[in-house]
Amino acid sequence: MACSVQALKHLGPIAFLRKMADSSPPRLQGCSSSISKSLSGSDTVDLAPVDKKSLNHESADLVDHEPPPLRWTRYIRNRSDCIPYDADAISTRRSVYDDPDLAALYWPKKGYENLHRFDPKARWTYREEQALLRKIDWKVMLWAAVSFSALNLDRNNLSQANTDNILGDLKLTTDDFNLGNTVFRLSFLCAELPSQLVSKRVGPDRWIPTQMVLWSIVTMAQFGLSGRSSFLVCRALLGFLQGGFIPDLILYLSYFYTKHELPFRLALFWISSNVCSIAASFIAFGVLHMRGTLGRAGWRWLFLVEGLITLVIGLATFFKMPPSPTQTKAWFRPNGWFTEREETIAVSRILRDDPSKGDMHNREGLTVKRLWTAVCDYDLWPLYIIGLMFGIPSSPPGTYLTLSLRRIGFSTFQTNLLTIPSTVAGVFTMFGITLLSETVDDRSYIAMAQDLWTLPFLIALYLLPALPNQWVYFGLASGLLSYPYTHPIQVGWCSRNSGAVASRTVNASLYNMFVQASSIVASQIYRADDAPQYRRGNRTLIIINCVNVLFMYPATKAYYIWRNRQRAKIWDTMSVEERQMYLTTTTDVGNRRLDFRFAH
């Protein structure tokens, strides 16, 4: 069956819909949401063979409400209150697939790798879903966290090397150190989109471990650094090879988790980074004692040891990262991770939560057109600006922490251990702020917490005398760096507001590019001619902090509220038939569709 629309292309969108509705077309038997392509070249909308009668089954047992938010108070006050439902009751939530007239419009494309396990008639209980989720957490999330820890082990070890006089050994100044950070971030930024294009074509399960192995080799090569040139070359190579890694991992996790589950997992994701930083401090404490072994500085052995650790993790990742929930079987894992029943639940619940995840195969590359469309998605630009601005106030104090502690009298080994308290505190503040965001279902105001936290500490650092008491400085710096890191909230926010696999891949990269650009800006705020107090730099950080709190976050929330109201004025006045015609014929995808609402 086909419905002609070529003659109506010249009409505006609303007039087009009304004209289509007036033409009283035959009832649709099905079509994919990803093949609404008639307005971009083809004269007809091809309809997939979906049996509408099979979807018109009893659905009274479906759950209509959204999943309850995570509330940590339940664990404190009454543990039995954590499960306020019958564990054997149906937990399948209602979706568009339970409406015979809409299901076909959201059907996964034929090439979707999990299509054979998708069953809109499938029902599962809370007990089954929670058991599956625990299995995914242990098998997928845990190793993703280990992989992410390997990234942070290698990209943050320069700070630990600073405590062992790497700058003096290589005859570098703090401005050279700033330049090295800038080169690293710029290379990291430039690699984001190319890395995503490669990852989408070959699959993140192949590209992520490949990246890890390559950058571990460069990390170990830093054992032989000889001066400024080799230092800058290694920083550039590390940045280029690590670029795109974080969006790749987030895209991979989205194959297994719903939009309500992902933000909390992303918090755990970044908590693993803090845990890694703590472990790295102890590793540095031990390895830096090797200074003088074979006539080499301790920081050289640090690069070699941490590079070897990453290499082992990278090689193991080739065997620990299956492509999708239905592709866990391999020659080294003949039974796979999931039963057929679990695969059906895993796939069906993901598509019920977000039908757009069935729009692309996990090894399907992005076309130039889809890439350009995602780049031009101005509704994500406010989040890019947030990515650029939010981390600047806290970045220079964190980057210079080890250098500053050494300057005011702490030894190499004291300095490495004194970085641990703020890292531990950051685990709890990040975990708490993410739970709070999901509990109150707010991102804009809650994500502001990071800048609200750092502001008073920046003012206190600005007012310190030229030679402060070393423990007073340590207390203020540690308090500042214990801030609730809101990056996981904002990554999930960007992913949710993208609304489609293709745009989600690109938008995550663009957001991360702006975060790296933020680090480039931040690396130039503390300058050698402003040392050691960095009064001018701290004054700049205070101004940026105030702009973030007073304008940036409130303006972003106001923008998304306005956009949602703008679309609701159109969508809410359309009849059922007009909505069906729109969904059938529109070329809008993801967050460009009239039925999409932005989270804020």
Side-chain angles (χ1 to χ4, degrees):
M1 175 182 177
C3 48
S4 176
V5 296
Q6 184 67 30
L8 303 177
K9 283 186 182 180
H10 65 283
L11 298 175
I14 302 303
F16 171 80
L17 291 170
R18 298 195 182 282
K19 185 69 175 177
M20 289 293 288
D22 292 341
S23 64
S24 300
R27 293 178 65 83
L28 304 176
Q29 296 302 310
C31 79
S32 169
S33 62
S34 64
I35 60 169
S36 301
K37 60 187 179 182
S38 61
L39 299 182
S40 61
S42 173
D43 291 343
T44 61
V45 178
D46 299 323
L47 303 177
V50 178
D51 185 1
K52 195 172 76 173
K53 292 182 179 180
S54 68
L55 297 175
N56 193 20
H57 53 273
E58 179 60 42
S59 60
D61 56 350
L62 293 170
V63 177
D64 290 309
H65 58 77
E66 294 290 339
L70 290 165
R71 299 186 186 278
W72 61 271
T73 52
R74 291 176 179 169
Y75 289 89
I76 296 177
R77 293 183 301 184
N78 182 6
R79 188 169 179 83
S80 62
D81 185 46
C82 296
I83 307 179
Y85 48 75
D86 178 4
D88 293 313
I90 297 298
S91 68
T92 311
R93 282 176 287 278
R94 192 180 303 277
S95 76
V96 293
Y97 295 114
D98 301 301
D99 187 329
D101 294 318
L102 293 179
L105 304 175
Y106 292 89
W107 207 259
K109 65 177 297 182
K110 291 181 180 179
Y112 176 55
E113 70 277 4
N114 300 313
L115 183 60
H116 62 292
R117 289 285 184 257
F118 176 52
D119 183 4
K121 295 184 292 183
R123 299 290 182 267
W124 51 89
T125 65
Y126 287 102
R127 190 187 306 279
E128 288 180 297
E129 188 169 17
Q130 290 304 311
L132 174 63
L133 195 56
R134 283 193 297 271
K135 183 179 286 191
I136 293 174
D137 285 339
W138 280 108
K139 294 186 177 296
V140 177
M141 181 65 215
L142 179 60
W143 195 258
V146 171
S147 301
F148 185 54
S149 297
L151 170 72
N152 287 285
L153 189 67
D154 286 345
R155 71 173 176 170
N156 295 333
N157 53 18
L158 182 59
S159 178
Q160 294 152 352
N162 274 332
T163 67
D164 194 47
N165 199 39
I166 183 177
L167 298 185
D169 289 348
L170 295 178
K171 297 180 174 56
L172 303 177
T173 66
T174 54
D175 285 347
D176 292 325
F177 172 69
N178 289 342
L179 179 61
N181 284 328
T182 299
V183 168
F184 172 83
R185 298 295 182 182
L186 186 60
S187 300
F188 199 103
L189 184 155
C190 292
E192 288 280 0
L193 278 179
S195 177
Q196 285 291 284
L197 294 176
V198 174
S199 178
K200 199 67 189 72
R201 170 62 68 182
V202 305
D205 56 295
R206 294 172 177 171
W207 180 236
I208 287 173
T210 300
Q211 285 180 284
M212 296 174 68
V213 169
L214 291 174
W215 88 57
S216 69
I217 295 172
V218 177
T219 297
M220 290 186 288
Q222 292 179 107
F223 181 87
L225 289 178
S226 58
R228 186 173 185 269
S229 297
S230 58
F231 171 73
L232 294 177
V233 168
C234 282
R235 300 312 295 170
L237 286 174
L238 280 173
F240 187 78
L241 292 172
Q242 292 177 352
F245 180 85
I246 296 174
D248 286 343
L249 263 182
I250 294 171
L251 175 66
Y252 178 75
L253 290 175
S254 71
Y255 295 161
F256 296 87
Y257 291 107
T258 68
K259 63 176 178 286
H260 296 284
E261 297 160 354
L262 189 58
F264 177 67
R265 268 71 188 181
L266 291 179
L268 297 177
F269 193 58
W270 264 275
I271 284 174
S272 71
S273 170
N274 287 39
V275 173
C276 171
S277 296
I278 296 170
S281 295
F282 285 109
I283 292 173
F285 180 82
V287 174
L288 291 179
H289 276 91
M290 295 176 65
R291 188 174 185 88
T293 302
L294 299 181
R296 299 289 185 170
W299 57 264
R300 296 184 186 275
W301 294 109
L302 180 66
F303 287 137
L304 183 63
V305 169
E306 293 188 346
L308 283 171
I309 294 173
T310 304
L311 178 62
V312 171
I313 296 175
L315 292 174
T317 302
F318 278 107
F319 303 94
K320 298 287 290 182
M321 189 172 280
S324 74
T326 64
Q327 297 172 304
T328 61
K329 292 183 179 180
W331 62 268
F332 52 87
R333 194 169 47 233
N335 297 323
W337 284 347
F338 309 115
T339 65
E340 289 188 9
R341 168 71 174 167
E342 288 173 330
E343 289 181 356
T344 297
I345 296 174
V347 173
S348 299
R349 74 189 200 95
I350 287 295
L351 290 180
R352 280 179 169 276
D353 177 71
D354 185 354
S356 72
K357 291 182 179 179
D359 284 350
M360 294 187 74
H361 190 277
N362 61 4
R363 302 206 194 286
E364 181 179 349
L366 294 172
T367 64
V368 174
K369 180 179 179 181
R370 297 190 79 166
L371 176 63
W372 180 247
T373 299
V375 170
C376 295
D377 184 1
Y378 54 83
D379 284 318
L380 271 296
W381 291 358
L383 292 179
Y384 301 155
I385 296 174
I386 286 179
L388 176 66
M389 297 289 289
F390 87 103
I392 293 178
S394 59
S395 183
T399 302
Y400 274 73
L401 178 63
T402 53
L403 287 173
S404 298
L405 292 178
R406 286 300 312 279
R407 179 183 62 82
I408 60 178
F410 290 108
S411 70
T412 295
F413 307 112
Q414 286 176 323
T415 297
N416 278 292
L417 294 179
L418 288 175
T419 61
I420 294 176
S422 60
T423 306
V424 173
V427 170
F428 292 99
T429 55
M430 177 167 54
F431 185 79
I433 203 67
T434 304
L435 283 184
L436 179 62
S437 176
E438 289 302 300
T439 299
V440 302
D441 192 26
D442 182 272
R443 279 141 290 277
S444 305
Y445 292 148
I446 300 301
M448 192 193 301
Q450 178 171 331
D451 288 312
L452 285 173
W453 180 290
T454 57
L455 183 58
F457 289 103
L458 284 173
I459 294 174
L461 289 176
Y462 177 75
L463 297 175
L464 281 179
L467 293 174
N469 178 281
Q470 60 182 175
W471 291 106
V472 170
Y473 179 86
F474 164 72
L476 290 175
S478 296
L480 188 155
L481 297 176
S482 300
Y483 59 82
Y485 191 41
T486 57
H487 186 50
I489 296 174
Q490 291 165 184
V491 169
W493 189 7
C494 183
S495 177
R496 184 179 296 191
N497 279 0
S498 297
V501 173
S503 56
R504 184 177 292 117
T505 302
V506 179
N507 295 141
S509 293
L510 289 172
Y511 170 79
N512 210 45
M513 288 171 68
F514 276 82
V515 172
Q516 302 312 315
S518 169
S519 299
I520 294 173
V521 174
S523 67
Q524 300 301 317
I525 292 179
Y526 280 6
R527 305 294 298 174
D529 62 351
D530 193 29
Q533 290 178 278
Y534 301 109
R535 283 189 179 275
R536 184 181 67 236
N538 285 330
R539 184 168 60 247
T540 302
L541 296 179
I542 291 169
I543 293 172
I544 294 173
N545 205 320
C546 291
V547 170
N548 293 349
V549 170
L550 299 177
F551 174 75
M552 185 179 68
Y553 283 104
T556 299
K557 187 175 186 70
Y559 174 78
Y560 284 130
I561 291 174
W562 173 72
R563 288 291 285 150
N564 286 345
R565 289 176 178 172
Q566 190 181 47
R567 292 183 177 186
K569 287 181 180 178
I570 301 175
W571 184 258
D572 293 348
T573 59
M574 293 167 60
S575 67
V576 174
E577 290 77 13
E578 288 176 321
R579 292 180 182 181
Q580 290 176 351
M581 289 304 100
Y582 170 81
L583 294 174
T584 305
T585 59
T586 184
T587 56
D588 296 336
V589 295
N591 64 10
R592 311 310 297 167
R593 289 163 57 123
L594 289 175
D595 58 339
F596 183 88
R597 296 295 177 266
F598 294 100
H600 53 79

